[in-house]
Structure formats: structure tokens, C-alpha cells
């Protein structure tokens, strides 16, 4: 089956820094989403991005389906960005997650 | 507000007890699914449904049953609780198997003693 890997597993930033999170998948996919799980456990859908680039405020995402990866960019990070970021390629198939900690 | 509602938010069970975790959505999504998340881990699919009357097993189905009698509701039943089922349970719904409109409930934190 398809393998989904995320990197880095952990990321520690100071407020204001930029970061790039990566999601690699082992086979072609038709769907890709990014989620943020905040420190209280709530899972929030950030982007549905099977291909191309989307932006929402300080966050943007790019998926290059032909090369089997997706990137999530966080600019000018804030403490509220802390949590775990997951990518998912279909129902039930999530990546391993990147744990982000942003310090003031 | 539209979304996925899970009840209860917290539950403590004794080993061997049974219970049902409730999940309801009001977005007319066909796809619904249950996940468990163990500490420091990702999400593992327990069961899913592609529409009323249709359910299937996910990655970790043992010890759990589901049914889908209506589009809105997708309850998860623990048949005989075991300490290994201590976890946080999330219900999710979406328009498609690919996850368009994927929305999660707020979770149920279950402890089995």
C-alpha cells in the first residue's frame, strides 16, 4: 500500500521564523490534505490540495503530484501555530506528523 | 453550527464494560470514519462508512463495531472494553473517500481501568 512519510518529525522555532514541512508519498494520489492538531487535540482542516499551490494567510501549501510530495509553508510563525501537522492522501491514510513548537 | 458532534467528551470504563461513542454530522456527508489516536501517535482508522447501510473495517477494527442506519449518525461500539483501548477517539466525515470537506469531531477521551 501507499506509504506516507512526513519530515521533519519535530521542529522548534522562535516566533517570527518561517518553516517548511514536507509530506512524501510512495505512489500517485488523487487527493492530499493538510491538518493541524492544536495542543488541545482539535483537528483542523487546513488545505485540500491534490495539486498546485494554495495560500491562506500565513500558510501556504504546494503539491507536486508527479514527484510525490507536498509542502506546507508557515511564515512568520506564531505560538498559536504550535501543534502537530498531518498530511493525508485519502480516507484513513495519514502521515506520521510533524510536531511544531513555537516559542515567544 | 454545522459540523461533527461527538459524545461523550470523556469516559472512564472498567475492563469488560461496553459502551457506545456517538457521532453525528449535519453536512450531508456520505463518508464517515472513526479513528483512534494513542499518545504521541498518529491517527489509525478503526471503521468507516461510505453511506447509510454500508460499513467496512479499517486498520484496527478488533474490539469495535459500527453501524450506519442514517446518513447523519455513525456510532462506535466497544464490545468488552480492555485497557489497550484507552485512547482518544475521533469521528470524521467527508464528501468523498478522498476527503473533500474532511471535518473532525472534537474527540472522546476514553480510559479503561
Amino acid at each position: 500500500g501507499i506509504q506516507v512519510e512526513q519530515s521533519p518529525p519535530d521542529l522548534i522555532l522562535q516566533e517570527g521564523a518561517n518553516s517548511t514541512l514536507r509530506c512524501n508519498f510512495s505512489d500517485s494520489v488523487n487527493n492530499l490534505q493538510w491538518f493541524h492538531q492544536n495542543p488541545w487535540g482539535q483537528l483542523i482542516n487546513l488545505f485540500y490540495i491534490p495539486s498546485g499551490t494554495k495560500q491562506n494567510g500565513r500558510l501556504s501549501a504546494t503539491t507536486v503530484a508527479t514527484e510525490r510530495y507536498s509542502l506546507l509553508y508557515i511564515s512568520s510563525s506564531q505560538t498559536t501555530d504550535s501543534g502537530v501537522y498531518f498530511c493525508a492522501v485519502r480516507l484513513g491514510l495519514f502521515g506520521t506528523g510533524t510536531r511544531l513548537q513555537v516559542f515567544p | 453550527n454545522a459540523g461533527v458532534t461527538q459524545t461523550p467528551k470523556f469516559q472512564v470504563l472498567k475492563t469488560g464494560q461496553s459502551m457506545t461513542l456517538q457521532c453525528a454530522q449535519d453536512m450531508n456527508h456520505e463518508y464517515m470514519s472513526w479513528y483512534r489516536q494513542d499518545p504521541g501517535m498518529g491517527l489509525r482508522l478503526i471503521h468507516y462508512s461510505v453511506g447509510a447501510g454500508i460499513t467496512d473495517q479499517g486498520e484496527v477494527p478488533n474490539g469495535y463495531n459500527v453501524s450506519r442506519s442514517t446518513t447523519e449518525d455513525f456510532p462506535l461500539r466497544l464490545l468488552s472494553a480492555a485497557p489497550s483501548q484507552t485512547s482518544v477517539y475521533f469521528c470524521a466525515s467527508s464528501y468523498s473517500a478522498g476527503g473533500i470537506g474532511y471535518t473532525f469531531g472534537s474527540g472522546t477521551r476514553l480510559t479503561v481501568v
Side-chain angles (χ1 to χ4, degrees):
Chain A
I2 299 173
Q3 303 297 313
V4 183
E5 294 183 354
Q6 292 184 241
S7 60
D10 295 281
L11 192 55
I12 301 174
L13 299 174
Q14 195 158 21
E15 215 169 18
N18 302 327
S19 61
T20 301
L21 285 59
R22 187 176 181 104
C23 173
N24 290 334
F25 36 96
S26 60
D27 204 348
S28 60
V29 299
N30 296 318
N31 304 279
L32 191 126
Q33 298 189 82
W34 283 96
F35 296 87
H36 175 218
Q37 186 169 36
N38 64 26
W40 296 271
Q42 186 181 10
L43 282 151
I44 299 165
N45 194 327
L46 297 175
F47 294 103
Y48 174 77
I49 185 162
S51 64
T53 297
K54 288 187 178 179
Q55 182 160 4
N56 185 1
R58 296 180 297 102
L59 273 60
S60 64
T62 295
T63 296
V64 184
T66 53
E67 297 188 19
R68 302 177 186 172
Y69 72 89
S70 182
L71 302 174
L72 178 69
Y73 305 96
I74 305 174
S75 64
S76 304
S77 58
Q78 301 176 358
T79 56
T80 52
D81 295 329
S82 295
V84 183
Y85 290 81
F86 292 103
C87 62
V89 300
R90 61 170 169 79
L91 187 151
L93 191 53
F94 285 75
T96 49
T98 291
R99 183 174 300 275
L100 174 64
Q101 298 180 70
V102 181
F103 290 95
Chain B
N1 291 337
V4 178
T5 302
Q6 285 185 240
T7 56
K9 294 190 183 304
F10 301 94
Q11 184 71 48
V12 179
L13 288 178
K14 293 183 179 179
T15 297
Q17 287 185 318
S18 62
M19 78 160 294
T20 299
L21 279 61
Q22 300 292 343
C23 176
Q25 54 94 6
D26 58 3
M27 297 171 285
N28 204 31
H29 285 172
E30 289 296 323
Y31 289 77
M32 296 187 74
S33 47
W34 276 101
Y35 297 86
R36 61 176 289 173
Q37 186 177 34
D38 299 321
M41 303 291 286
L43 295 156
R44 292 189 292 171
L45 181 65
I46 304 171
H47 285 285
Y48 66 98
S49 169
V50 301
I54 306 170
T55 63
D56 206 346
Q57 296 181 350
E59 178 186 357
V60 289
N62 292 341
Y64 307 95
N65 272 356
V66 292
S67 60
R68 183 101 178 267
S69 57
T70 66
T71 299
E72 294 77 20
D73 299 300
F74 191 43
L76 177 72
R77 297 182 188 86
L78 278 71
L79 308 173
S80 178
S84 61
Q85 293 179 302
T86 294
S87 190
V88 180
Y89 291 84
F90 289 97
C91 178
S93 72
S94 63
Y95 287 115
S96 70
I100 297 174
Y102 221 129
T103 304
F104 280 91
S106 56
T108 295
R109 186 174 298 273
L110 176 68
T111 302
V112 183
V113 298

